[in-house]
Amino acid sequence: DMLFVHHGLFWSTPLLLTGNHYDRIKTLLDSDMALYAVHLPLDAHPVYGNNAELAERFNLKDKKEFGFYGNCAAGIYGSLPIEKTGISIDEAIRCLFPCGEKPAHILPFGKKEIKTIGIISGAAAAKIDEAIRLNLDLYITGEIGHSTYHTALENKINVIAGGHYQTETVGVSLLAEKMRNELGIETVFIDVPTGL
């Protein structure tokens, strides 16, 4: 009856209904199917958002918002619990991906003992500057660009690019579980990994 997605069919401007875009819309209309896309709000939601759940995997404390897009803070940063002395980059990867998934890229240029972490899912390579200003030990995002390498190296910060897809499917899965458990709505997660 409905597709609930993170990335929608429009970003900031509407597109003409031609070519592939027309085919996508036509498929929805022919199937009498609704489409609900929630991009930045799903990144930013404090409980069901991509970044909130990824931060929960580290049990981050003293969480604060960062990574603003207009008035919306998409990211979260915080500290490991006081009882933890710090974690290695390999331990951070295991926390980030408890089921054994692999990150797209790892830039291990910072402290060996990680205590502070900032997370912005998806394509937030440019927000590394905010992570540096906050003096974070580890910055996690979905994808990075070529210039991120030298920015991370020169500023001695660890970066994990977890994969755009892998960091942005977390919130959709959480909401599917909530709808199933609290509303009795039948849900199915359609996994279409891109490897990016």
Side-chain angles (χ1 to χ4, degrees):
D1 297 319
M2 181 177 82
L3 282 176
F4 180 92
V5 299
H6 186 243
H7 288 183
L9 295 175
F10 302 94
W11 182 241
S12 58
T13 56
L15 300 173
L16 292 174
L17 294 179
T18 60
N20 289 339
H21 190 61
Y22 169 83
D23 293 339
R24 291 172 178 158
I25 300 292
K26 184 176 185 315
T27 298
L28 291 167
L29 293 172
D30 289 348
S31 302
D32 194 26
M33 186 181 304
L35 175 69
Y36 185 57
V38 186
H39 196 203
L40 288 179
L42 188 57
D43 286 317
H45 193 278
V47 178
Y48 299 103
N50 295 314
N51 299 311
E53 172 57 22
L54 294 173
E56 190 63 30
R57 293 178 183 181
F58 291 93
N59 196 22
L60 290 184
K61 304 298 179 197
D62 303 318
K63 293 181 279 192
K64 295 178 179 66
E65 299 176 334
F66 86 118
F68 282 83
Y69 293 90
N71 294 328
C72 180
I76 293 174
Y77 74 95
S79 304
L80 293 176
I82 294 172
E83 62 272 13
K84 280 216 174 241
T85 57
I87 59 175
S88 69
I89 193 95
D90 290 334
E91 290 172 298
I93 292 166
R94 285 192 292 275
C95 287
L96 184 63
F97 297 125
C99 295
E101 301 96 323
K102 301 294 181 208
H105 301 284
I106 305 163
L107 304 178
F109 302 144
K111 295 177 182 173
K112 300 297 179 200
E113 196 172 88
I114 295 164
K115 295 181 181 178
T116 57
I117 301 171
I119 304 167
I120 307 176
S121 59
K127 299 297 181 183
I128 190 174
D129 292 333
E130 288 185 49
I132 292 164
R133 276 195 299 279
L134 292 166
N135 199 30
L136 298 176
D137 299 333
L138 171 62
Y139 178 53
I140 297 170
T141 189
E143 63 182 79
I144 57 175
H146 181 76
S147 62
T148 310
Y149 181 94
H150 288 288
T151 301
L153 179 66
E154 292 163 3
N155 289 280
K156 297 179 177 56
I157 185 170
N158 296 300
V159 176
I160 297 174
H164 196 124
Y165 180 85
Q166 289 186 143
T167 61
E168 289 195 335
T169 53
V170 178
V172 171
S173 298
L174 284 175
L175 282 169
E177 183 180 336
K178 179 180 175 61
M179 287 188 282
R180 189 170 50 250
N181 294 339
E182 294 182 15
L183 303 174
I185 295 173
E186 182 183 344
T187 64
V188 61
F189 178 73
I190 301 170
D191 194 19
V192 187
T194 61
L196 301 173

